[in-house]
Amino acid sequence: MKPIIIFFLFATGYSSCSQKHEVISEIKLEYTSAMCQGYCDYTFIVNKSLKEVIKTPGKLIQSPELSVKKDTIQLKKNEWQQIRQSFALDSLRALPKINGCPGCNDGAIGSLQIITNKDTLSIKFEGPNPPKTIKSLTEIITKETFNE
């Protein structure tokens, strides 16, 4: 009888621990701006092994010489760890879904999506002014992108 009880306790304890562990599979960061010339929309898709950067020219003020650019960058293990350590999921969940006034005054709209094995967190913010909770994350992901 004791082995059955021990097995039951071990099995329920193991399953409750594994349910608490949340794994991030992808982070998607987007910046869109309707009133801009040149490359206006930037999309960053990041997972533990790569970062994809997509630059899209403006649609309202068109530049025919520009085309969509895509770049895929392999991430080192420490780079994913740095990204992952730059924010806390609980802090993101505490943020409102919309922060500031995204798109007001024709400014850029920032959008962050974090996809986990449990759910998807989505936050919108004023492009140049992300909430403090995600500022470090946005800086790491966009590093060396906007100073071209």
Side-chain angles (χ1 to χ4, degrees):
M1 184 69 164
K2 283 185 181 181
I4 293 172
I5 293 171
I6 291 171
F7 174 76
F8 177 75
L9 291 173
F10 177 77
T12 57
Y14 175 77
S15 68
S16 66
C17 287
S18 64
Q19 289 174 359
K20 291 180 184 178
H21 186 66
E22 191 164 9
V23 177
I24 295 173
S25 58
E26 185 176 276
I27 298 171
K28 185 176 183 181
L29 177 63
E30 293 181 288
Y31 291 94
T32 58
S33 180
M35 301 302 293
C36 106
Q37 189 171 11
Y39 287 102
C40 299
D41 299 346
Y42 287 77
T43 302
F44 303 86
I45 302 169
V46 184
N47 64 38
K48 67 180 181 180
S49 60
L50 62 89
K51 173 170 75 171
E52 185 176 21
V53 181
I54 305 164
K55 298 189 253 184
T56 309
K59 294 171 186 70
L60 290 179
I61 306 171
Q62 296 187 1
S63 302
E65 71 279 2
L66 299 178
S67 60
V68 174
K69 286 186 175 182
K70 292 183 182 181
D71 192 15
T72 302
I73 303 157
Q74 295 295 318
L75 290 182
K76 297 177 182 123
K77 188 176 180 178
N78 67 329
E79 291 173 314
W80 174 249
Q81 288 173 343
Q82 182 184 18
I83 289 168
R84 194 43 210 99
Q85 292 170 354
S86 68
F87 66 96
L89 286 171
D90 291 339
S91 297
L92 291 177
R93 285 192 174 94
L95 286 174
K97 299 285 183 214
I98 298 175
N99 296 267
C101 187
C104 291
N105 301 324
D106 297 328
I109 298 170
S111 176
L112 176 68
Q113 261 190 352
I114 301 198
I115 301 164
T116 74
N117 59 328
K118 291 186 176 186
D119 63 1
T120 299
L121 302 166
S122 296
I123 298 162
K124 289 201 179 298
F125 56 93
E126 296 174 28
N129 301 312
K132 283 184 182 180
T133 307
I134 63 169
K135 187 165 180 59
S136 180
L137 170 64
T138 60
E139 287 174 350
I140 293 169
I141 290 176
T142 62
K143 184 178 173 186
E144 298 176 6
T145 301
F146 296 117
N147 32 333
E148 298 174 315

